[in-house]
Amino acid sequence: MAQKKGSLKLRQSLIGYSFIAPNFLGFAIFILFPVIFTIILSVMNWDGFNAMTFAGFANFRAIFRDRVFKSAFWLTLLYVVFTVALTLLASLALACVLNRKIKGRDVFRSAIFFPYVASMIAIGAVWKQLFESNYGPINMALRAIGISNPPGWFASTDWAIWGVIVVAIWKFMGYYMLIYLAGLQDIPVQLYEAATLDGATGWQKFRKITLPMLTPSTFFVFMMLTINSFKSFDLIYALTMGGPGTSTTLLANYIYNQTFVYWDYGKSAAASIILFIIVLGVTIVQFRGEKKFTDYL
Amino acid sequence: MMIEKRSPVKTVLLYIVLALLTVITLLPLLWMVSASFKLSSEVFSFPIKWIPETWHWENYVKIWQKINLATYTMNSFKLSIIITLIQLLTSSFAAYGFSKCRFPGRNVLFLAYVATIAIPWQVYMLPQYVMMQKMHLIDTHISIILLQSFTAFGVFLLRQFYITIPDELLEAARIDGLSEYGTFARIVLPLTKPAMATLTIMSFVTVWNDYMGPMIYFNSDRLKTIQLGIQLFVGQYSAEYGLIMATSVMAIIPVLVVFLAFQRFFVEGIASSGLKG
């Protein structure tokens, strides 16, 4: 009997492995292996050509002393907090509104999604002109509503990061709206019908049905948003190149500079490990939260 | 969400807010379209002329003559379609394994998947490149196909949707004699069409818009993609912004077509039958 149970378990495990095998093989070779190699690099000295030497924690000590790294660290936190919170709210609200049967829904959806598909070079050029401090339409509009001294945006060390955040929300809200839209399709209509019979208001239905049923989507959106914001690189590269000064140099830009400007792989790998540890921490906390929620469902 | 009777005032307000939001979102697109009809010298002049003084239609002819845009477009299609297909196939399989099968090491493996999402690509780009070099795959399309087809993102996305399918439903299918593979193909796949549509759109867009990957791996002109083509208009001392914008506008069209085709799966009520009912 016990033996039979054991072989059944083995069979189940084999079936499980067979499902993940095709993807896992490719993943292990082309992604996991290079990532592990990177972790090794973080305790090594390497410029890509000469032989590697062991560096211990010297790379980590070097980046902790680096003023640019420290500023990149705090800027990244600021950028992540605001981008994640505002993009999440915007994408959820948009998905709920654009899930209704309203006229021109496809047009609205495509319009909101469009920023995500536009090429970075074009986006960089467009927004630089829109945010231009003297004649740009944004500041002209701000002056028209009575703000006599509008911010200098990408020309100002204090405001550049906020300009980047605005563009980030504009670019990504459509992408995450899509995930929420897909999630909304999973909610059975019967739940809403029952709630309506019980006399629930629209807001009550949203809080007691939509939000809890969307938990797996929210978890995914929150995680991907957090991770992608921590990794944010392209947008800043296209908009400000990390400037003026280092006022928009985020961690990913710092890592890129260490790799391709200073050719210091050890320091770049060490900075990536720090980034990795932060994101992994957030991920684990999130997973705990998800477990609680799905148990409750 | 279900159909509710709302007051006409609320409906009108909703439309006004939506229309306003759409205009704000689309303003940069309008700027791109307008700039695509201008001479490069006019693109950045102030005050912004939203309607070009003279329409330079020839920009849209020039982009096909000055660079091999037709070849680049074909390459972009080829890569986007192949990678998206492999992603859909292998990710949905793996996501089922991670959400509905039990086996030792499942959680550790999944954590490894998610953990790699957290590492910026710029960081492990170099080890990947060395690996591709050893396999003699530099300057081939296969390199990018291999590197981008097995991302953790697709597995993670689909898993989030599969865990919302109640186990009782699968249990019932198994009792009815379906194998694990049959349960996956006949129950889970049909129920998660919106999720598959999402992955299709996202994967297609990501590959289509990727710039860094093709830039690093493709040297030959016949292998290049649209995004590399756009960059060709950026010269050492000046950039032909009129042509850049014309090519960018052209490059958006296929992606919007894919988006429009697949967003139709986000229609309310698809999942209302059979689930949690």
Side-chain angles (χ1 to χ4, degrees), chain A residues 8-291:
Chain A
L8 186 73
K9 242 188 172 168
L10 181 71
R11 222 180 87 90
Q12 271 185 338
S13 298
L14 284 179
I15 290 176
Y17 290 128
S18 76
F19 270 104
I20 63 162
N23 190 279
F24 186 74
L25 277 180
F27 170 76
I29 299 170
F30 299 112
I31 296 177
L32 197 57
F33 175 71
V35 164
I36 291 170
F37 194 75
T38 302
I39 298 175
I40 297 172
L41 274 184
S42 72
V43 290
M44 294 289 182
N45 282 323
W46 197 36
D47 60 4
F49 301 101
N50 297 309
M52 263 185 240
T53 53
F54 184 69
F57 286 101
N59 289 321
F60 289 92
R61 278 198 296 271
I63 57 168
F64 284 131
R65 274 197 306 266
D66 191 343
R67 269 192 35 229
V68 182
F69 175 80
K70 276 186 222 160
S71 117
F73 179 84
W74 291 113
L75 273 174
T76 306
L77 281 190
L78 175 88
Y79 171 83
V80 168
V81 168
F82 281 92
T83 310
V84 171
L86 295 173
T87 311
L88 192 120
L89 287 178
S91 58
L92 175 62
L94 284 166
C96 287
V97 171
L98 293 179
N99 194 41
R100 293 188 184 154
K101 284 197 174 107
I102 54 173
K103 283 209 185 75
R105 188 171 68 175
D106 292 6
V107 178
F108 288 131
R109 282 181 183 176
S110 323
I112 304 291
F113 188 67
F114 142 78
Y116 186 72
V117 302
S119 94
M120 270 298 173
I121 302 176
I123 287 180
V126 176
W127 280 96
K128 267 189 265 178
Q129 209 192 17
L130 294 182
F131 270 129
E132 208 275 335
S133 50
N134 291 322
Y135 302 102
I138 291 174
N139 275 4
M140 300 242 270
L142 287 178
R143 274 191 212 101
I145 58 168
I147 298 164
S148 55
N149 199 6
W153 303 111
F154 296 138
S156 138
T157 47
D158 291 331
W159 281 96
I161 189 73
W162 298 102
V164 172
I165 291 172
V166 169
V167 181
I169 297 166
W170 169 81
K171 184 167 170 62
F172 296 115
M173 65 184 183
Y175 180 81
Y176 294 102
M177 171 191 78
L178 210 60
I179 296 169
Y180 270 127
L181 271 176
L184 283 171
Q185 314 313 318
D186 263 2
I187 305 177
V189 180
Q190 292 92 314
L191 287 182
Y192 292 105
E193 285 165 355
T196 311
L197 284 180
D198 291 344
T201 64
W203 176 245
Q204 281 172 329
K205 279 186 254 178
F206 176 75
R207 282 215 26 216
K208 303 284 178 188
I209 302 173
T210 312
L211 266 190
M213 295 297 284
L214 276 180
T215 307
S217 307
T218 304
F219 170 71
F220 183 81
V221 168
F222 187 84
M223 268 213 44
M224 289 311 297
L225 248 173
T226 310
I227 291 174
N228 284 335
S229 305
F230 268 114
K231 297 196 314 194
S232 220
F233 170 80
D234 298 19
L235 193 66
I236 285 140
Y237 195 73
L239 282 172
T240 64
M241 297 287 271
T246 53
S247 64
T248 55
T249 301
L250 303 188
L251 278 178
N253 303 87
Y254 176 84
I255 292 168
Y256 178 88
N257 289 343
Q258 292 303 329
T259 316
F260 293 102
V261 181
Y262 306 111
W263 302 101
D264 190 337
Y265 294 121
K267 240 168 126 181
S268 112
S272 349
I273 298 297
I274 305 270
L275 184 57
F276 172 71
I277 290 170
I278 298 171
V279 180
L280 197 68
V282 176
T283 311
I284 290 169
V285 170
Q286 276 289 300
F287 262 105
R288 293 254 163 87
E290 184 199 38
K291 227 173 222 159

